[in-house]
Every structure is written in structure tokens, then in C-alpha cells.
Amino acid sequence: MLNFSFNLPTKVIHGTEVVSKNAAEIAKFGRKAFLVTGKSSARLSGALADVEATLNSLGIEYKIFDQVLNNPTLDNVAAGGKQAREYQPDFIIAIGGGSPLDAAKAVAVLAVNDIEPQELYTNDFAVMPLPIIAIPTTAGTGSEVTPYSVLTLEDLETKKSFSTQDLFPKIAFLDWRYTASLSRTVTIDTAVDALSHLVEGYLSRRANDTSDLFAKRGIKLWGECIEALVKDRIDGEIRDKLLVASLLGGFTISHTGTTFVHALGYPLTYFQDLPHGRANGLVIGQALKFTQTVAPERVRNVLTLLGLESLDQLIELLNKLFPEEYTLTKEEARKYAARTAQNKNVQQSLGEVTEEVLYSILKTSFTLVD
Ligand code: NAP
Ligand code: FE
């Protein structure tokens, strides 16, 4: 039977200069804004300048928290939450890559709930989080249209997401120009994150007809960017396609969640300090080799949409994008496989993804040393 159920509560406004052209949309949220961002995402992208000019033209008062770390920790979001609680804004504007966007979701909760950051994981708050306007400056996470906030938990030595339906941003402003200042490395890392969302969502047990529509369109768009990514010819048109592919990935995982690729990526980021998208990209090729054994038709569809002939071609492409040699000790690989097996998202993958399967993916994706 068909299944087109879907929930997509974020208003997406896509184009160039969308922030300044849609000042009236911002004015609806109140008179006082709290901006959450990181140092380079705010300033190098040009997004902060546009937001400040628009807020000034509207006479909206604002305060900036620009201390968000890459892979934000509970302490980091608690500091932002404390400042927001004191400032008492009407709404939050999140500017940046996934790190500031996810941090802003935690700040939106902590601004109106005087709780310990660990309590974010109850996913249930006495007071409704503040409304969020999200402006992505990377084309990767799709966090501007998801209810997830992925934070680093030092105590548990991992990354973990919390979410409630109230955390979907109210508005996402998408302007590719804000991604033009990204380095080639961050462009590739984040683009591969978007690909992971699209592919994992399409190959999830939770996929339905609507999420498939988004995933397939996104994978096709991503395929149209391959040559430019490899040859480093990333112009405005390509950046716009990557931004939309990332948006479609966000739509997809807002319904399906992620699967074993992201779950394997978390320990790789936590212990090896690998950027989020790259961590996924280093394992996705071998992960698909496993999925191919249980869902060959779906994997073939992914490859066709990407314009590739075989899974080996995709693996070759990822090797070109990430040419360095990455090593792990056998002990590390064992530990990460064991931890990943505990992650509930692994159960949403197609096939039976056991600790042994996860270990063999790491073994074939990395150079294992003693
Ligand atoms: P990021 O950590 O937000 O940013 C990576 C780097 O790029 C940072 O140094 C950042 O600087 C810089 N940067 C961002 N925009 C820039 C621009 N326009 N020009 C120049 N530099 C710029 O990376 P990300 O991959 O976008 O986000 C990763 C995080 O998102 C992870 O924590 C991941 O777990 C999470 N995530 C969330 C979801 C979700 O659904 N919520 C999905 C996937 C991943 P600054 O530090 O100064 O900002
Ligand atoms: Fe991701």
C-alpha cells in the first residue's frame, strides 16, 4: 500500500537575498532576538551582516552568542542558554553550519526552561522552546528543517541527539551565497553528510513514499555536483544544488532518522576528531556493500540516480574526495563497533546490522594497525 504520511512544519524560503527580502517574516516573531552562531560561519558567510541590517531596519533589538564550538557540548549550549535566559528574547536566529543550528535548538529550550543541559534528553519541556529562524551556512546537515539537535556528551564519550516536534525551525532561509566562503575541504565534508542523509533515509526501514520523493530528488541533484566537487569547480549553481540537496536530506531524515552510517560516524568524530560528514563518508561505501546484499534494487537506484554504474565507482569517488590514508588500531575498531551496535538508529538499517558487520565495515574502510 502507498504511504504518503508526512509532517513538515518549517516554512522554507529559498533564493538569493532572502533574508533582506523577507524582513516582514522576521518581524512576526517579536521585538527581541537572540542570535546563535560560530565565529567564521557568522562573519565569513555574510549572513550575520544581512541579519543585523534587517533587524536594525525593523528596530528589533538583539544580542549575539557567537561561541558555538564545532560539535557543541552540553557545557557549550548551557553557556548560550544562560545568556539567553538572562536576555529574555522573543525568538532565536540560528546562523551557521549544523553546529550552531543544533546548539540554537538547545538554547531555544534552555532560554525558557531552567533545567540542567542533561535534561534536554527527556525530550519533554515544561515551557515550549522559543521559535527558531535557521540560516544554514554549510550545505550538509539539513538541520534547518529537522527537529534534531546533536550534542557531544563528554560523560558518555559520544554524540547523541535530542528532539521534539517543537524544535523544527519556524523558518529556514536558504541562500547559497552564505556557503560561498566555505573551504573546499568543508564543502566536501558537508556535501558528503548531505549525501549520507539522503542515502540512509532512502535505505531506512522507516522510509515511506514521501521521504523517498525527497531522497531521490536530492540524490539526483547531488549526482549533478560530482564532477564539480572532484575537479574543484564549485560555482554558484553547484552551491545552490548542494544546498537544496542538503535541504532534501533534512526533509528525508526528519521522517526516517539516520541509520548505521551516522551511528558509526559518531565514535569516529568523538575519538578520532574526524569532521562529521567525512566520518560518514569514510564508511558509507562499505556500508552500502552490506546493504547491497539485502536490498540490491534500492542500492542500484541510488547509484543510477547518482549517474554511477557501480558501487565500486562510488567508492572510487569517495576515495578521490578523501584521498588521505586513515588508520585505526584493531582495538579502536572493536570498541567503536561495540559502541555503535548499542545505538538505536542501527536497528532502522535494512538487514541485520550486528557488531560483526560494523567491525567488518570499519576493517575494510580504514587501514587497521596493531
Ligand atoms: P560545523 O561544525 O557547523 O562547521 C564546520 C566548520 O565550518 C566550522 O569551523 C565553521 O565555523 C565553518 N563554517 C561554517 N559555515 C561557514 C562559511 N559559510 N564560511 C566559512 N566557514 C564556515 O559543520 P557542519 O558539518 O555543518 O555541522 C556538523 C554538526 O551538525 C555536527 O555536530 C553534526 O552531528 C550535526 N548534524 C546535525 C544534524 C541534524 O539533523 N540536526 C544532521 C547532521 C549533522 P564556525 O565554527 O565559526 O561556525
Ligand atoms: Fe549528518
Side-chain angles (χ1 to χ4, degrees), residues 39-41 70 97-99 102 137-138 146 148 159 178 181 276:
K39 289 245 162 22
S40 20
S41 43
N70 289 0
S99 296
D102 285 6
T137 66
T138 63
T146 73
Y148 313 123
K159 300 185 71 175
Y178 299 148
S181 53
H276 172 69

Side-chain angles (χ1 to χ4, degrees), residues 185-309:
T185 306
V186 179
T187 300
I188 289 174
D189 290 342
T190 48
V192 170
D193 187 28
L195 178 67
S196 294
H197 299 153
L198 292 160
V199 171
E200 285 175 68
Y202 184 66
L203 300 173
S204 161
R205 287 176 195 260
R206 291 171 63 194
N208 77 359
D209 292 297
T210 318
S211 66
D212 280 358
L213 278 178
F214 292 129
K216 287 198 273 190
R217 181 76 175 101
I219 295 169
K220 180 134 196 327
L221 269 178
W222 204 95
E224 293 168 19
C225 301
I226 290 176
E227 201 183 330
L229 286 172
V230 171
K231 296 191 174 154
D232 196 16
R233 291 194 193 131
I234 305 164
D235 59 13
E237 195 184 330
I238 293 293
R239 291 216 177 269
D240 192 43
K241 285 186 178 181
L242 289 173
L243 191 61
V244 174
S246 166
L247 171 82
L248 294 170
F251 286 159
T252 306
I253 60 166
S254 73
H255 178 80
T256 62
T258 54
T259 60
F260 63 141
V261 176
H262 265 63
L264 265 175
Y266 291 150
L268 292 170
T269 295
Y270 187 86
F271 293 106
Q272 301 290 324
D273 209 19
L274 286 169
H276 172 69
R278 197 181 316 167
N280 298 327
L282 293 177
V283 295
I284 194 170
Q286 296 302 328
L288 290 183
K289 285 245 164 180
F290 170 79
T291 310
Q292 200 174 34
T293 63
V294 293
E297 204 171 310
R298 285 226 147 208
V299 174
R300 199 173 328 114
N301 289 346
V302 167
L303 298 167
T304 306
L305 287 163
L306 284 172
L308 301 174
E309 273 157 27

Side-chain angles (χ1 to χ4, degrees), residues 37-49 66 95-96 137:
T37 187
K39 289 245 162 22
S40 20
S41 43
R43 296 191 169 83
L44 295 180
S45 69
L48 181 65
D66 65 0
I95 304 173
T137 66

